[in-house]
Amino acid sequence: MVVLKGAFTVVADPSGRLAIIPVATPALARAGTGDVLAGIITGLRAQGMSAFDAAIAGAWLHGQAGLLAAHTMGNTASV
């Protein structure tokens, strides 16, 4: 399983399935946000989701949280 973070997140599995998460914010371009994403995905896996589904859901939740945090803080720099 690969989760490639960028402007949009790409999720791919060994069988060739691919998903692109169309959520982007510079608020997540900070040290430690990848650790948060890994924790979200791990938590979803621990609840029984498949690796592919957990990666997709985790990336989407992570992106939405970044957008909400930026909106709440009023800018992306302080997230």
Short mmCIF file of all heavy atoms in Angstrom, two decimals:
data_model
loop_
_atom_site.label_atom_id
_atom_site.label_comp_id
_atom_site.label_asym_id
_atom_site.label_seq_id
_atom_site.Cartn_x
_atom_site.Cartn_y
_atom_site.Cartn_z
N MET A 1 0.85 -1.16 0.00
CA MET A 1 0.00 0.00 0.00
C MET A 1 0.90 1.23 0.00
O MET A 1 1.85 1.32 0.77
CB MET A 1 -0.86 -0.02 1.27
CG MET A 1 -1.91 1.03 1.31
SD MET A 1 -3.15 0.88 0.04
CE MET A 1 -3.66 -0.80 0.20
N VAL A 2 0.57 2.18 -0.87
CA VAL A 2 1.31 3.43 -0.95
C VAL A 2 0.35 4.59 -0.79
O VAL A 2 -0.71 4.63 -1.42
CB VAL A 2 2.05 3.57 -2.30
CG1 VAL A 2 2.71 4.93 -2.43
CG2 VAL A 2 3.06 2.46 -2.48
N VAL A 3 0.71 5.52 0.08
CA VAL A 3 -0.02 6.78 0.22
C VAL A 3 0.98 7.88 -0.10
O VAL A 3 1.91 8.12 0.66
CB VAL A 3 -0.61 6.95 1.64
CG1 VAL A 3 -1.33 8.27 1.76
CG2 VAL A 3 -1.54 5.79 1.98
N LEU A 4 0.81 8.51 -1.24
CA LEU A 4 1.72 9.54 -1.71
C LEU A 4 1.08 10.90 -1.48
O LEU A 4 0.12 11.27 -2.14
CB LEU A 4 2.03 9.34 -3.19
CG LEU A 4 2.93 10.38 -3.85
CD1 LEU A 4 4.32 10.36 -3.21
CD2 LEU A 4 3.02 10.11 -5.34
N LYS A 5 1.62 11.63 -0.50
CA LYS A 5 1.09 12.95 -0.18
C LYS A 5 1.65 13.98 -1.14
O LYS A 5 2.82 13.96 -1.48
CB LYS A 5 1.48 13.35 1.26
CG LYS A 5 0.74 12.58 2.33
CD LYS A 5 -0.74 12.86 2.33
CE LYS A 5 -1.03 14.31 2.63
NZ LYS A 5 -2.40 14.70 2.33
N GLY A 6 0.79 14.85 -1.56
CA GLY A 6 1.16 15.94 -2.44
C GLY A 6 0.00 16.92 -2.46
O GLY A 6 -0.81 16.94 -1.53
N ALA A 7 -0.09 17.73 -3.51
CA ALA A 7 -1.23 18.65 -3.61
C ALA A 7 -2.53 17.85 -3.49
O ALA A 7 -3.44 18.24 -2.78
CB ALA A 7 -1.18 19.41 -4.91
N PHE A 8 -2.58 16.72 -4.18
CA PHE A 8 -3.64 15.73 -3.96
C PHE A 8 -2.94 14.46 -3.51
O PHE A 8 -1.78 14.22 -3.84
CB PHE A 8 -4.42 15.45 -5.24
CG PHE A 8 -5.26 16.60 -5.72
CD1 PHE A 8 -5.53 16.76 -7.06
CD2 PHE A 8 -5.79 17.53 -4.84
CE1 PHE A 8 -6.31 17.80 -7.52
CE2 PHE A 8 -6.57 18.58 -5.28
CZ PHE A 8 -6.83 18.72 -6.63
N THR A 9 -3.63 13.64 -2.74
CA THR A 9 -3.05 12.40 -2.22
C THR A 9 -3.39 11.26 -3.17
O THR A 9 -4.54 11.12 -3.58
CB THR A 9 -3.57 12.10 -0.81
OG1 THR A 9 -3.22 13.19 0.04
CG2 THR A 9 -2.98 10.82 -0.26
N VAL A 10 -2.41 10.45 -3.48
CA VAL A 10 -2.60 9.27 -4.32
C VAL A 10 -2.46 8.04 -3.45
O VAL A 10 -1.49 7.91 -2.69
CB VAL A 10 -1.57 9.22 -5.48
CG1 VAL A 10 -1.75 7.96 -6.30
CG2 VAL A 10 -1.69 10.46 -6.34
N VAL A 11 -3.44 7.14 -3.52
CA VAL A 11 -3.41 5.88 -2.80
C VAL A 11 -3.38 4.76 -3.82
O VAL A 11 -4.19 4.75 -4.76
CB VAL A 11 -4.65 5.72 -1.89
CG1 VAL A 11 -4.64 4.38 -1.16
CG2 VAL A 11 -4.75 6.88 -0.89
N ALA A 12 -2.44 3.83 -3.67
CA ALA A 12 -2.32 2.71 -4.61
C ALA A 12 -2.03 1.44 -3.85
O ALA A 12 -1.37 1.46 -2.81
CB ALA A 12 -1.20 2.98 -5.61
N ASP A 13 -2.54 0.33 -4.37
CA ASP A 13 -2.23 -0.96 -3.75
C ASP A 13 -1.52 -1.86 -4.77
O ASP A 13 -1.47 -1.54 -5.96
CB ASP A 13 -3.47 -1.61 -3.15
CG ASP A 13 -4.43 -2.22 -4.15
OD1 ASP A 13 -4.17 -2.17 -5.36
OD2 ASP A 13 -5.46 -2.76 -3.72
N PRO A 14 -0.95 -2.96 -4.31
CA PRO A 14 -0.16 -3.82 -5.20
C PRO A 14 -0.95 -4.41 -6.38
O PRO A 14 -0.36 -4.75 -7.41
CB PRO A 14 0.34 -4.93 -4.28
CG PRO A 14 0.32 -4.34 -2.92
CD PRO A 14 -0.85 -3.39 -2.91
N SER A 15 -2.26 -4.51 -6.25
CA SER A 15 -3.05 -5.07 -7.35
C SER A 15 -3.30 -4.06 -8.46
O SER A 15 -3.85 -4.40 -9.49
CB SER A 15 -4.38 -5.61 -6.82
OG SER A 15 -5.25 -4.54 -6.48
N GLY A 16 -2.92 -2.81 -8.24
CA GLY A 16 -3.10 -1.79 -9.26
C GLY A 16 -4.26 -0.83 -9.01
O GLY A 16 -4.46 0.10 -9.79
N ARG A 17 -5.03 -1.07 -7.94
CA ARG A 17 -6.11 -0.13 -7.64
C ARG A 17 -5.49 1.21 -7.28
O ARG A 17 -4.45 1.28 -6.63
CB ARG A 17 -6.97 -0.62 -6.48
CG ARG A 17 -7.84 -1.78 -6.84
CD ARG A 17 -8.81 -2.12 -5.75
NE ARG A 17 -8.09 -2.50 -4.54
CZ ARG A 17 -8.65 -2.75 -3.37
NH1 ARG A 17 -9.96 -2.64 -3.23
NH2 ARG A 17 -7.93 -3.11 -2.33
N LEU A 18 -6.17 2.28 -7.67
CA LEU A 18 -5.64 3.62 -7.48
C LEU A 18 -6.78 4.55 -7.09
O LEU A 18 -7.89 4.43 -7.61
CB LEU A 18 -5.01 4.10 -8.79
CG LEU A 18 -4.38 5.47 -8.83
CD1 LEU A 18 -3.08 5.47 -8.03
CD2 LEU A 18 -4.13 5.86 -10.27
N ALA A 19 -6.50 5.45 -6.18
CA ALA A 19 -7.48 6.47 -5.81
C ALA A 19 -6.74 7.79 -5.64
O ALA A 19 -5.60 7.82 -5.17
CB ALA A 19 -8.19 6.10 -4.51
N ILE A 20 -7.38 8.86 -6.05
CA ILE A 20 -6.84 10.21 -5.87
C ILE A 20 -7.81 10.97 -4.98
O ILE A 20 -9.00 11.04 -5.27
CB ILE A 20 -6.64 10.92 -7.21
CG1 ILE A 20 -5.64 10.13 -8.06
CG2 ILE A 20 -6.18 12.36 -7.00
CD1 ILE A 20 -5.48 10.63 -9.47
N ILE A 21 -7.28 11.51 -3.89
CA ILE A 21 -8.09 12.26 -2.93
C ILE A 21 -7.96 13.74 -3.31
O ILE A 21 -6.91 14.34 -3.12
CB ILE A 21 -7.61 12.02 -1.48
CG1 ILE A 21 -7.42 10.53 -1.19
CG2 ILE A 21 -8.55 12.69 -0.50
CD1 ILE A 21 -8.63 9.66 -1.42
N PRO A 22 -9.03 14.36 -3.82
CA PRO A 22 -8.94 15.73 -4.33
C PRO A 22 -9.12 16.79 -3.24
O PRO A 22 -9.94 17.69 -3.36
CB PRO A 22 -10.07 15.78 -5.35
CG PRO A 22 -11.10 14.87 -4.78
CD PRO A 22 -10.33 13.76 -4.10
N VAL A 23 -8.37 16.65 -2.17
CA VAL A 23 -8.41 17.61 -1.08
C VAL A 23 -6.99 18.10 -0.87
O VAL A 23 -6.09 17.29 -0.66
CB VAL A 23 -8.94 16.97 0.23
CG1 VAL A 23 -8.98 17.99 1.36
CG2 VAL A 23 -10.32 16.37 0.02
N ALA A 24 -6.78 19.41 -0.94
CA ALA A 24 -5.43 19.94 -0.78
C ALA A 24 -5.46 21.21 0.05
O ALA A 24 -6.37 22.02 -0.09
CB ALA A 24 -4.83 20.24 -2.15
N THR A 25 -4.48 21.35 0.92
CA THR A 25 -4.30 22.57 1.69
C THR A 25 -2.84 22.68 2.13
O THR A 25 -2.26 21.68 2.56
CB THR A 25 -5.24 22.64 2.91
OG1 THR A 25 -4.93 23.83 3.66
CG2 THR A 25 -5.11 21.44 3.80
N PRO A 26 -2.26 23.86 2.04
CA PRO A 26 -0.90 24.02 2.52
C PRO A 26 -0.81 23.89 4.04
O PRO A 26 0.29 23.79 4.59
CB PRO A 26 -0.50 25.42 2.04
CG PRO A 26 -1.75 26.11 1.70
CD PRO A 26 -2.76 25.05 1.38
N ALA A 27 -1.94 23.88 4.72
CA ALA A 27 -1.94 23.72 6.17
C ALA A 27 -1.31 22.39 6.58
O ALA A 27 -0.77 22.27 7.68
CB ALA A 27 -3.37 23.81 6.71
N LEU A 28 -1.35 21.40 5.69
CA LEU A 28 -0.80 20.08 6.03
C LEU A 28 0.65 19.92 5.60
O LEU A 28 1.22 18.85 5.78
CB LEU A 28 -1.67 18.99 5.40
CG LEU A 28 -3.11 18.95 5.93
CD1 LEU A 28 -3.93 17.92 5.17
CD2 LEU A 28 -3.13 18.67 7.42
N ALA A 29 1.25 20.97 5.06
CA ALA A 29 2.66 20.93 4.67
C ALA A 29 3.52 21.33 5.86
O ALA A 29 4.26 22.30 5.83
CB ALA A 29 2.90 21.83 3.48
N ARG A 30 3.37 20.60 6.95
CA ARG A 30 4.07 20.88 8.19
C ARG A 30 4.65 19.59 8.75
O ARG A 30 4.08 18.50 8.54
CB ARG A 30 3.12 21.46 9.26
CG ARG A 30 2.37 22.70 8.85
CD ARG A 30 3.28 23.92 8.86
NE ARG A 30 2.56 25.12 8.48
CZ ARG A 30 2.42 25.55 7.24
NH1 ARG A 30 2.93 24.87 6.24
NH2 ARG A 30 1.78 26.66 6.97
N ALA A 31 5.72 19.72 9.49
CA ALA A 31 6.31 18.55 10.14
C ALA A 31 5.29 17.90 11.06
O ALA A 31 4.58 18.58 11.81
CB ALA A 31 7.55 18.97 10.93
N GLY A 32 5.20 16.59 10.98
CA GLY A 32 4.33 15.83 11.87
C GLY A 32 2.97 15.50 11.30
O GLY A 32 2.29 14.61 11.82
N THR A 33 2.56 16.17 10.22
CA THR A 33 1.22 15.88 9.71
C THR A 33 1.15 14.49 9.07
O THR A 33 0.10 13.86 9.09
CB THR A 33 0.73 16.95 8.71
OG1 THR A 33 1.64 17.02 7.61
CG2 THR A 33 0.60 18.30 9.38
N GLY A 34 2.26 14.02 8.52
CA GLY A 34 2.29 12.65 7.99
C GLY A 34 2.15 11.62 9.10
O GLY A 34 1.53 10.58 8.90
N ASP A 35 2.70 11.93 10.27
CA ASP A 35 2.53 11.05 11.42
C ASP A 35 1.07 10.98 11.84
O ASP A 35 0.56 9.92 12.20
CB ASP A 35 3.37 11.53 12.61
CG ASP A 35 4.86 11.51 12.32
OD1 ASP A 35 5.30 10.64 11.54
OD2 ASP A 35 5.58 12.35 12.87
N VAL A 36 0.40 12.12 11.78
CA VAL A 36 -1.04 12.15 12.09
C VAL A 36 -1.81 11.30 11.09
O VAL A 36 -2.67 10.50 11.47
CB VAL A 36 -1.56 13.60 12.11
CG1 VAL A 36 -3.08 13.63 12.26
CG2 VAL A 36 -0.90 14.39 13.23
N LEU A 37 -1.49 11.45 9.81
CA LEU A 37 -2.15 10.64 8.77
C LEU A 37 -1.92 9.15 9.02
O LEU A 37 -2.86 8.35 8.93
CB LEU A 37 -1.65 11.04 7.39
CG LEU A 37 -2.15 10.19 6.22
CD1 LEU A 37 -3.67 10.18 6.15
CD2 LEU A 37 -1.54 10.69 4.92
N ALA A 38 -0.70 8.78 9.33
CA ALA A 38 -0.40 7.37 9.61
C ALA A 38 -1.22 6.86 10.79
O ALA A 38 -1.72 5.73 10.78
CB ALA A 38 1.09 7.19 9.87
N GLY A 39 -1.37 7.69 11.81
CA GLY A 39 -2.16 7.31 12.97
C GLY A 39 -3.63 7.13 12.64
O GLY A 39 -4.28 6.21 13.15
N ILE A 40 -4.16 8.00 11.80
CA ILE A 40 -5.56 7.88 11.38
C ILE A 40 -5.77 6.57 10.62
O ILE A 40 -6.70 5.81 10.90
CB ILE A 40 -5.99 9.08 10.50
CG1 ILE A 40 -5.99 10.38 11.30
CG2 ILE A 40 -7.37 8.83 9.89
CD1 ILE A 40 -6.13 11.63 10.44
N ILE A 41 -4.88 6.29 9.67
CA ILE A 41 -5.00 5.06 8.89
C ILE A 41 -4.86 3.83 9.79
O ILE A 41 -5.65 2.88 9.66
CB ILE A 41 -3.94 5.04 7.76
CG1 ILE A 41 -4.25 6.15 6.74
CG2 ILE A 41 -3.90 3.67 7.07
CD1 ILE A 41 -3.15 6.38 5.72
N THR A 42 -3.92 3.86 10.70
CA THR A 42 -3.73 2.73 11.62
C THR A 42 -4.97 2.53 12.49
O THR A 42 -5.40 1.39 12.72
CB THR A 42 -2.49 2.97 12.50
OG1 THR A 42 -1.35 3.11 11.64
CG2 THR A 42 -2.27 1.83 13.47
N GLY A 43 -5.55 3.62 12.96
CA GLY A 43 -6.77 3.51 13.77
C GLY A 43 -7.92 2.90 12.99
O GLY A 43 -8.68 2.09 13.52
N LEU A 44 -8.05 3.28 11.73
CA LEU A 44 -9.11 2.70 10.89
C LEU A 44 -8.85 1.22 10.62
O LEU A 44 -9.79 0.41 10.62
CB LEU A 44 -9.23 3.48 9.58
CG LEU A 44 -9.72 4.93 9.72
CD1 LEU A 44 -9.57 5.68 8.41
CD2 LEU A 44 -11.16 4.96 10.22
N ARG A 45 -7.58 0.87 10.40
CA ARG A 45 -7.23 -0.55 10.22
C ARG A 45 -7.57 -1.35 11.47
O ARG A 45 -8.09 -2.47 11.39
CB ARG A 45 -5.74 -0.70 9.90
CG ARG A 45 -5.34 -0.24 8.54
CD ARG A 45 -5.72 -1.22 7.45
NE ARG A 45 -4.91 -2.42 7.56
CZ ARG A 45 -5.35 -3.65 7.34
NH1 ARG A 45 -6.59 -3.85 7.00
NH2 ARG A 45 -4.55 -4.68 7.45
N ALA A 46 -7.27 -0.79 12.64
CA ALA A 46 -7.54 -1.47 13.91
C ALA A 46 -9.03 -1.70 14.12
O ALA A 46 -9.42 -2.62 14.85
CB ALA A 46 -6.97 -0.66 15.08
N GLN A 47 -9.85 -0.90 13.45
CA GLN A 47 -11.30 -1.07 13.55
C GLN A 47 -11.84 -2.03 12.49
O GLN A 47 -13.05 -2.25 12.41
CB GLN A 47 -11.99 0.29 13.42
CG GLN A 47 -11.69 1.21 14.59
CD GLN A 47 -12.37 2.53 14.44
OE1 GLN A 47 -13.60 2.60 14.35
NE2 GLN A 47 -11.58 3.60 14.41
N GLY A 48 -10.95 -2.59 11.67
CA GLY A 48 -11.36 -3.63 10.74
C GLY A 48 -11.44 -3.23 9.28
O GLY A 48 -11.80 -4.07 8.44
N MET A 49 -11.11 -2.00 8.93
CA MET A 49 -11.14 -1.62 7.52
C MET A 49 -9.99 -2.27 6.77
O MET A 49 -8.93 -2.52 7.33
CB MET A 49 -11.03 -0.09 7.37
CG MET A 49 -12.25 0.67 7.80
SD MET A 49 -12.07 2.45 7.48
CE MET A 49 -12.80 2.52 5.86
N SER A 50 -10.21 -2.52 5.48
CA SER A 50 -9.12 -3.01 4.65
C SER A 50 -8.06 -1.92 4.54
O SER A 50 -8.33 -0.73 4.75
CB SER A 50 -9.63 -3.37 3.25
OG SER A 50 -9.94 -2.20 2.53
N ALA A 51 -6.84 -2.32 4.19
CA ALA A 51 -5.75 -1.35 4.08
C ALA A 51 -6.07 -0.27 3.04
O ALA A 51 -5.84 0.92 3.27
CB ALA A 51 -4.45 -2.06 3.74
N PHE A 52 -6.60 -0.67 1.90
CA PHE A 52 -6.92 0.28 0.83
C PHE A 52 -8.00 1.26 1.27
O PHE A 52 -7.85 2.48 1.13
CB PHE A 52 -7.33 -0.47 -0.42
CG PHE A 52 -7.49 0.39 -1.64
CD1 PHE A 52 -6.39 0.98 -2.24
CD2 PHE A 52 -8.73 0.59 -2.21
CE1 PHE A 52 -6.53 1.77 -3.38
CE2 PHE A 52 -8.88 1.37 -3.35
CZ PHE A 52 -7.77 1.96 -3.93
N ASP A 53 -9.08 0.74 1.84
CA ASP A 53 -10.17 1.60 2.30
C ASP A 53 -9.72 2.51 3.43
O ASP A 53 -10.12 3.68 3.48
CB ASP A 53 -11.37 0.76 2.73
CG ASP A 53 -12.07 0.10 1.56
OD1 ASP A 53 -11.86 0.52 0.40
OD2 ASP A 53 -12.83 -0.86 1.80
N ALA A 54 -8.92 2.00 4.34
CA ALA A 54 -8.42 2.80 5.46
C ALA A 54 -7.53 3.93 4.96
O ALA A 54 -7.59 5.06 5.46
CB ALA A 54 -7.67 1.94 6.46
N ALA A 55 -6.70 3.65 3.96
CA ALA A 55 -5.83 4.67 3.41
C ALA A 55 -6.64 5.76 2.73
O ALA A 55 -6.35 6.96 2.89
CB ALA A 55 -4.84 4.05 2.43
N ILE A 56 -7.66 5.38 1.98
CA ILE A 56 -8.51 6.36 1.30
C ILE A 56 -9.27 7.20 2.33
O ILE A 56 -9.26 8.43 2.27
CB ILE A 56 -9.48 5.67 0.34
CG1 ILE A 56 -8.71 5.06 -0.83
CG2 ILE A 56 -10.53 6.65 -0.17
CD1 ILE A 56 -9.56 4.16 -1.69
N ALA A 57 -9.94 6.53 3.25
CA ALA A 57 -10.72 7.26 4.26
C ALA A 57 -9.81 8.13 5.12
O ALA A 57 -10.15 9.28 5.44
CB ALA A 57 -11.49 6.27 5.13
N GLY A 58 -8.66 7.59 5.51
CA GLY A 58 -7.73 8.35 6.34
C GLY A 58 -7.22 9.59 5.63
O GLY A 58 -7.15 10.67 6.22
N ALA A 59 -6.87 9.45 4.36
CA ALA A 59 -6.38 10.60 3.60
C ALA A 59 -7.47 11.66 3.44
O ALA A 59 -7.21 12.86 3.55
CB ALA A 59 -5.87 10.16 2.23
N TRP A 60 -8.70 11.22 3.21
CA TRP A 60 -9.80 12.17 3.08
C TRP A 60 -10.06 12.89 4.40
O TRP A 60 -10.19 14.12 4.44
CB TRP A 60 -11.06 11.47 2.59
CG TRP A 60 -12.16 12.44 2.29
CD1 TRP A 60 -12.36 13.12 1.13
CD2 TRP A 60 -13.20 12.85 3.18
NE1 TRP A 60 -13.45 13.94 1.25
CE2 TRP A 60 -13.99 13.80 2.49
CE3 TRP A 60 -13.52 12.53 4.49
CZ2 TRP A 60 -15.09 14.42 3.08
CZ3 TRP A 60 -14.62 13.14 5.08
CH2 TRP A 60 -15.40 14.08 4.37
N LEU A 61 -10.13 12.12 5.51
CA LEU A 61 -10.34 12.73 6.82
C LEU A 61 -9.22 13.70 7.17
O LEU A 61 -9.46 14.79 7.70
CB LEU A 61 -10.45 11.65 7.90
CG LEU A 61 -11.71 10.80 7.88
CD1 LEU A 61 -11.55 9.58 8.79
CD2 LEU A 61 -12.90 11.64 8.31
N HIS A 62 -8.00 13.31 6.90
CA HIS A 62 -6.83 14.14 7.16
C HIS A 62 -6.92 15.45 6.39
O HIS A 62 -6.69 16.54 6.95
CB HIS A 62 -5.59 13.34 6.75
CG HIS A 62 -4.29 13.97 7.05
ND1 HIS A 62 -3.48 14.48 6.05
CD2 HIS A 62 -3.64 14.17 8.21
CE1 HIS A 62 -2.38 14.96 6.60
NE2 HIS A 62 -2.45 14.80 7.90
N GLY A 63 -7.28 15.38 5.13
CA GLY A 63 -7.42 16.58 4.32
C GLY A 63 -8.52 17.49 4.83
O GLY A 63 -8.35 18.71 4.92
N GLN A 64 -9.66 16.90 5.17
CA GLN A 64 -10.77 17.69 5.69
C GLN A 64 -10.40 18.35 7.02
O GLN A 64 -10.78 19.51 7.28
CB GLN A 64 -12.02 16.81 5.86
CG GLN A 64 -12.60 16.32 4.56
CD GLN A 64 -13.02 17.46 3.64
OE1 GLN A 64 -13.61 18.45 4.07
NE2 GLN A 64 -12.72 17.31 2.37
N ALA A 65 -9.67 17.63 7.88
CA ALA A 65 -9.23 18.20 9.15
C ALA A 65 -8.30 19.39 8.91
O ALA A 65 -8.39 20.41 9.61
CB ALA A 65 -8.54 17.14 10.00
N GLY A 66 -7.42 19.27 7.91
CA GLY A 66 -6.54 20.39 7.57
C GLY A 66 -7.31 21.60 7.09
O GLY A 66 -7.00 22.73 7.48
N LEU A 67 -8.30 21.38 6.25
CA LEU A 67 -9.13 22.48 5.77
C LEU A 67 -9.89 23.14 6.92
O LEU A 67 -9.95 24.37 7.01
CB LEU A 67 -10.13 21.97 4.72
CG LEU A 67 -9.54 21.53 3.39
CD1 LEU A 67 -10.62 20.89 2.53
CD2 LEU A 67 -8.90 22.70 2.67
N LEU A 68 -10.45 22.33 7.80
CA LEU A 68 -11.20 22.87 8.95
C LEU A 68 -10.28 23.64 9.89
O LEU A 68 -10.63 24.73 10.35
CB LEU A 68 -11.90 21.73 9.70
CG LEU A 68 -12.68 22.15 10.95
CD1 LEU A 68 -13.79 23.14 10.58
CD2 LEU A 68 -13.25 20.93 11.64
N ALA A 69 -9.10 23.10 10.15
CA ALA A 69 -8.15 23.78 11.03
C ALA A 69 -7.73 25.12 10.43
O ALA A 69 -7.65 26.13 11.15
CB ALA A 69 -6.94 22.90 11.29
N ALA A 70 -7.45 25.15 9.14
CA ALA A 70 -7.06 26.40 8.49
C ALA A 70 -8.18 27.42 8.56
O ALA A 70 -7.95 28.61 8.83
CB ALA A 70 -6.66 26.14 7.04
N HIS A 71 -9.40 26.96 8.34
CA HIS A 71 -10.55 27.86 8.41
C HIS A 71 -10.72 28.40 9.83
O HIS A 71 -10.95 29.60 10.03
CB HIS A 71 -11.82 27.13 7.96
CG HIS A 71 -13.06 27.97 8.09
ND1 HIS A 71 -13.35 29.00 7.22
CD2 HIS A 71 -14.05 27.94 8.99
CE1 HIS A 71 -14.48 29.56 7.59
NE2 HIS A 71 -14.93 28.93 8.66
N THR A 72 -10.60 27.52 10.82
CA THR A 72 -10.76 27.91 12.22
C THR A 72 -9.69 28.91 12.66
O THR A 72 -9.97 29.88 13.35
CB THR A 72 -10.73 26.67 13.13
OG1 THR A 72 -11.79 25.79 12.73
CG2 THR A 72 -10.89 27.04 14.59
N MET A 73 -8.44 28.65 12.23
CA MET A 73 -7.32 29.51 12.61
C MET A 73 -7.27 30.80 11.79
O MET A 73 -6.62 31.76 12.16
CB MET A 73 -5.99 28.77 12.45
CG MET A 73 -5.88 27.53 13.31
SD MET A 73 -6.02 27.83 15.07
CE MET A 73 -4.54 28.75 15.38
N GLY A 74 -7.94 30.81 10.65
CA GLY A 74 -7.95 31.99 9.80
C GLY A 74 -6.81 32.05 8.80
O GLY A 74 -6.74 32.98 8.00
N ASN A 75 -5.90 31.08 8.85
CA ASN A 75 -4.81 31.00 7.89
C ASN A 75 -4.20 29.61 7.96
O ASN A 75 -4.49 28.84 8.87
CB ASN A 75 -3.74 32.07 8.17
CG ASN A 75 -3.09 31.89 9.52
OD1 ASN A 75 -2.36 30.93 9.74
ND2 ASN A 75 -3.35 32.81 10.43
N THR A 76 -3.36 29.30 6.98
CA THR A 76 -2.76 27.96 6.95
C THR A 76 -1.42 27.89 7.69
O THR A 76 -0.96 26.83 7.99
CB THR A 76 -2.53 27.49 5.50
OG1 THR A 76 -1.65 28.41 4.84
CG2 THR A 76 -3.85 27.40 4.75
N ALA A 77 -0.85 29.03 7.99
CA ALA A 77 0.49 29.05 8.60
C ALA A 77 0.51 28.57 10.03
O ALA A 77 1.51 28.02 10.49
CB ALA A 77 1.08 30.45 8.51
N SER A 78 -0.57 28.77 10.75
CA SER A 78 -0.55 28.45 12.19
C SER A 78 -1.18 27.11 12.53
O SER A 78 -1.39 26.81 13.69
CB SER A 78 -1.22 29.57 12.98
OG SER A 78 -2.55 29.74 12.54
N VAL A 79 -1.50 26.32 11.51
CA VAL A 79 -2.10 25.01 11.78
C VAL A 79 -1.03 24.06 12.27
O VAL A 79 0.04 23.98 11.74
CB VAL A 79 -2.77 24.45 10.50
CG1 VAL A 79 -3.24 23.02 10.69
CG2 VAL A 79 -3.95 25.34 10.12
#
